[in-house]
Amino acid sequence: MTTTDTIAALALGVAVVAAVAAIGSWRAARNANGAAQTLSRIEQQRLHADLTPHFRCTIVANEARSTAMLRVHLEGPPGLLSRGAIEITAFLRNDNPHRGDGSRLAGTPTPEEVRAHIWGPWKFSADGRDDTGRTVAPQQLAVGAGTP
Protein backbone atom coordinates (compact mmCIF):
# COMPACT_ATOMS: atom_id res chain seq x y z
CA MET A 1 0.00 0.00 0.00
CA THR A 2 1.43 3.28 -1.04
CA THR A 3 1.29 6.58 0.73
CA THR A 4 -1.38 7.79 -1.69
CA ASP A 5 -3.54 4.75 -0.93
CA THR A 6 -3.12 5.34 2.80
CA ILE A 7 -4.12 8.99 2.47
CA ALA A 8 -7.14 7.99 0.35
CA ALA A 9 -8.19 5.38 2.95
CA LEU A 10 -7.83 7.93 5.76
CA ALA A 11 -9.83 10.50 3.74
CA LEU A 12 -12.55 7.92 3.18
CA GLY A 13 -12.62 7.10 6.90
CA VAL A 14 -12.85 10.80 7.79
CA ALA A 15 -15.68 11.24 5.25
CA VAL A 16 -17.61 8.30 6.75
CA VAL A 17 -17.15 9.67 10.27
CA ALA A 18 -18.28 13.13 9.08
CA ALA A 19 -21.38 11.61 7.42
CA VAL A 20 -22.27 9.72 10.62
CA ALA A 21 -21.79 12.93 12.63
CA ALA A 22 -23.99 14.86 10.18
CA ILE A 23 -26.76 12.27 10.46
CA GLY A 24 -26.46 12.35 14.24
CA SER A 25 -26.69 16.13 14.38
CA TRP A 26 -29.67 16.10 11.97
CA ARG A 27 -31.50 13.64 14.26
CA ALA A 28 -30.66 15.71 17.33
CA ALA A 29 -31.92 18.87 15.64
CA ARG A 30 -35.15 17.12 14.60
CA ASN A 31 -35.70 15.85 18.15
CA ALA A 32 -34.96 19.30 19.59
CA ASN A 33 -37.43 20.87 17.16
CA GLY A 34 -40.14 18.39 18.21
CA ALA A 35 -39.43 19.06 21.88
CA ALA A 36 -39.55 22.82 21.31
CA GLN A 37 -42.90 22.54 19.51
CA THR A 38 -44.32 20.40 22.33
CA LEU A 39 -43.08 22.86 24.95
CA SER A 40 -44.51 25.78 22.99
CA ARG A 41 -47.91 24.06 22.73
CA ILE A 42 -47.93 23.28 26.47
CA GLU A 43 -46.99 26.87 27.31
CA GLN A 44 -49.70 28.24 25.01
CA GLN A 45 -52.32 25.99 26.65
CA ARG A 46 -51.14 27.05 30.12
CA LEU A 47 -51.29 30.72 29.21
CA HIS A 48 -54.77 30.26 27.74
CA ALA A 49 -55.95 28.52 30.91
CA ASP A 50 -54.32 31.17 33.12
CA LEU A 51 -56.06 33.99 31.24
CA THR A 52 -59.53 32.44 30.89
CA PRO A 53 -61.94 34.80 32.68
CA HIS A 54 -63.98 33.49 35.60
CA PHE A 55 -67.40 35.09 36.03
CA ARG A 56 -69.92 34.83 38.83
CA CYS A 57 -73.45 35.58 37.64
CA THR A 58 -76.38 36.05 39.98
CA ILE A 59 -80.00 36.86 39.31
CA VAL A 60 -81.92 38.62 42.08
CA ALA A 61 -85.67 38.43 41.50
CA ASN A 62 -88.07 41.12 42.70
CA GLU A 63 -91.38 39.24 42.80
CA ALA A 64 -93.39 42.33 43.74
CA ARG A 65 -92.38 44.19 40.57
CA SER A 66 -92.01 41.07 38.35
CA THR A 67 -88.43 42.09 37.61
CA ALA A 68 -85.01 40.63 38.19
CA MET A 69 -81.49 42.04 38.39
CA LEU A 70 -78.67 40.26 36.57
CA ARG A 71 -75.28 40.89 38.18
CA VAL A 72 -72.05 39.77 36.56
CA HIS A 73 -68.84 39.77 38.61
CA LEU A 74 -65.43 39.19 36.99
CA GLU A 75 -63.55 37.20 39.62
CA GLY A 76 -60.25 36.68 37.87
CA PRO A 77 -57.70 35.45 37.16
CA PRO A 78 -55.23 38.08 38.36
CA GLY A 79 -53.29 37.77 35.08
CA LEU A 80 -56.09 39.70 33.40
CA LEU A 81 -55.08 42.84 35.32
CA SER A 82 -52.37 43.54 32.78
CA ARG A 83 -54.88 43.19 29.95
CA GLY A 84 -57.14 46.04 31.14
CA ALA A 85 -60.90 45.68 31.16
CA ILE A 86 -62.89 42.80 29.72
CA GLU A 87 -65.88 43.60 27.52
CA ILE A 88 -69.02 41.51 27.98
CA THR A 89 -72.30 41.50 26.10
CA ALA A 90 -75.47 40.01 27.56
CA PHE A 91 -78.28 38.81 25.32
CA LEU A 92 -81.35 36.61 25.47
CA ARG A 93 -80.99 33.67 23.14
CA ASN A 94 -83.68 32.91 20.59
CA ASP A 95 -84.32 29.22 21.24
CA ASN A 96 -86.35 28.81 18.07
CA PRO A 97 -84.82 30.93 15.28
CA HIS A 98 -87.20 29.33 12.74
CA ARG A 99 -90.31 30.55 14.55
CA GLY A 100 -92.38 32.62 12.12
CA ASP A 101 -91.08 30.87 9.00
CA GLY A 102 -94.36 29.00 8.40
CA SER A 103 -97.41 30.16 6.51
CA ARG A 104 -99.12 33.32 7.76
CA LEU A 105 -102.75 34.15 8.31
CA ALA A 106 -104.09 37.54 7.34
CA GLY A 107 -103.57 40.16 10.05
CA THR A 108 -100.90 38.21 11.95
CA PRO A 109 -97.41 39.56 12.73
CA THR A 110 -94.71 39.41 10.07
CA PRO A 111 -91.98 36.76 10.38
CA GLU A 112 -89.52 39.50 11.44
CA GLU A 113 -91.86 40.62 14.23
CA VAL A 114 -92.32 37.03 15.39
CA ARG A 115 -88.53 36.43 15.49
CA ALA A 116 -87.94 39.74 17.32
CA HIS A 117 -90.54 38.92 20.00
CA ILE A 118 -89.18 37.52 23.27
CA TRP A 119 -91.16 34.38 24.09
CA GLY A 120 -90.33 34.33 27.79
CA PRO A 121 -90.98 36.27 30.98
CA TRP A 122 -87.78 38.36 30.93
CA LYS A 123 -86.29 41.10 28.77
CA PHE A 124 -83.60 43.68 29.39
CA SER A 125 -84.62 47.15 30.52
CA ALA A 126 -81.16 48.56 31.23
CA ASP A 127 -79.59 51.57 29.56
CA GLY A 128 -78.12 50.67 26.20
CA ARG A 129 -80.59 47.90 25.41
CA ASP A 130 -81.89 47.32 21.90
CA ASP A 131 -85.48 47.97 20.85
CA THR A 132 -86.60 44.40 21.55
CA GLY A 133 -84.98 44.15 24.99
CA ARG A 134 -83.01 41.12 23.82
CA THR A 135 -79.49 42.65 23.94
CA VAL A 136 -77.66 45.10 26.18
CA ALA A 137 -74.78 47.22 24.91
CA PRO A 138 -71.30 45.91 25.79
CA GLN A 139 -69.99 46.84 29.21
CA GLN A 140 -66.44 46.78 30.51
CA LEU A 141 -65.46 44.97 33.69
CA ALA A 142 -62.18 45.14 35.54
CA VAL A 143 -60.91 42.14 37.52
CA GLY A 144 -62.63 42.04 40.90
CA ALA A 145 -65.44 44.34 39.74
CA GLY A 146 -69.02 43.64 38.83
CA THR A 147 -71.87 45.28 37.00
CA PRO A 148 -73.68 48.01 38.93
Side-chain angles (χ1 to χ4, degrees):
M1 203 163 164
T2 67
T3 307
T4 308
D5 292 339
T6 305
I7 292 174
L10 284 174
L12 178 63
V14 168
V16 169
V17 169
V20 170
I23 291 172
S25 75
W26 171 76
R27 283 186 179 169
R30 188 178 66 175
N31 290 343
N33 185 31
Q37 287 177 349
T38 301
L39 183 61
S40 175
R41 187 173 49 253
I42 290 170
E43 185 63 20
Q44 186 177 22
Q45 290 170 349
R46 185 192 65 79
L47 182 63
H48 183 272
D50 286 349
L51 294 178
T52 300
H54 301 280
F55 294 99
R56 184 183 63 223
C57 300
T58 55
I59 297 177
V60 180
N62 183 341
E63 305 272 337
R65 294 179 50 203
S66 295
T67 62
M69 174 84 61
L70 170 65
R71 294 189 183 271
V72 180
H73 186 268
L74 178 59
E75 294 187 338
L80 289 176
L81 286 172
S82 63
R83 306 280 182 196
I86 300 293
E87 187 173 283
I88 63 167
T89 302
F91 66 94
L92 298 175
R93 184 178 67 200
N94 185 358
D95 287 335
N96 188 353
H98 303 291
R99 187 177 278 137
D101 288 347
S103 58
R104 282 182 55 216
L105 297 174
T108 60
T110 65
E112 292 78 23
E113 291 171 329
V114 171
R115 280 191 288 277
H117 183 76
I118 296 176
W119 298 90
W122 306 108
K123 67 179 181 177
F124 290 113
S125 61
D127 293 338
R129 69 177 173 89
D130 66 353
D131 293 337
T132 63
R134 186 179 298 278
T135 307
V136 176
Q139 297 184 19
Q140 291 192 350
L141 293 178
V143 176
T147 56

